[in-house]
Amino acid sequence: MQATAPLGTLPDRMGMTDEVQTTTFSISSDDGETDEVTVPSGLVDLVAEGDQTDAETVGDLVLLSFASRAHHIVHHGHEADEDLEAQEAEVMDLFEERFGVTFGEATGHQH
């Protein structure tokens, strides 16, 4: 049986001998800007679909995150102007192109 920590506290990691492995991903944009993000390798493996590469998995998560944020801003947040609505429509088209289903079908959240 596994003990759980009370809500709002972190488990005590003292005495843990296994170091969590991480993977660093490099990001570059069309304008030459770059960044890196490091995440636990096990989480990448956990959310990977089938024989998907680590890079493909992270790419999926990036697009999912942008689609989710755009949806929230346009439909559940701020007053959206035409430009913001166009941006949201474009990311939804890119989402469907990559995943083969609409954002609403993938998330069960449709308007």
Side-chain angles (χ1 to χ4, degrees):
M1 180 151 76
Q2 183 177 6
T4 58
L7 188 60
T9 64
L10 297 174
D12 182 8
R13 294 181 59 103
M14 297 287 294
M16 292 182 70
T17 58
D18 294 340
E19 185 176 320
V20 173
Q21 298 295 312
T22 61
T23 303
T24 300
F25 295 89
S26 298
I27 304 165
S28 61
S29 66
D30 289 343
D31 64 3
E33 295 291 325
T34 63
D35 195 8
E36 290 184 343
V37 61
T38 301
V39 296
S41 302
L43 290 179
V44 177
D45 295 340
L46 179 68
V47 299
E49 297 284 331
D51 61 352
Q52 195 173 37
T53 68
D54 289 353
E56 290 170 325
T57 300
V58 171
D60 283 356
L61 290 172
V62 168
L63 187 55
L64 174 61
S65 180
F66 273 102
S68 178
R69 288 295 299 146
H71 172 84
H72 177 77
I73 292 167
V74 169
H75 298 285
H76 302 287
H78 313 283
E79 289 185 32
D81 60 18
E82 287 182 20
D83 182 57
L84 187 54
E85 289 175 356
Q87 298 292 323
E88 192 251 358
E90 179 66 18
V91 79
M92 293 306 167
D93 288 346
L94 293 168
F95 183 96
E96 187 170 357
E97 182 179 309
R98 184 168 182 126
F99 296 109
V101 295
T102 66
F103 179 79
E105 291 168 334
T107 63
H109 186 85
Q110 299 183 25
H111 290 268

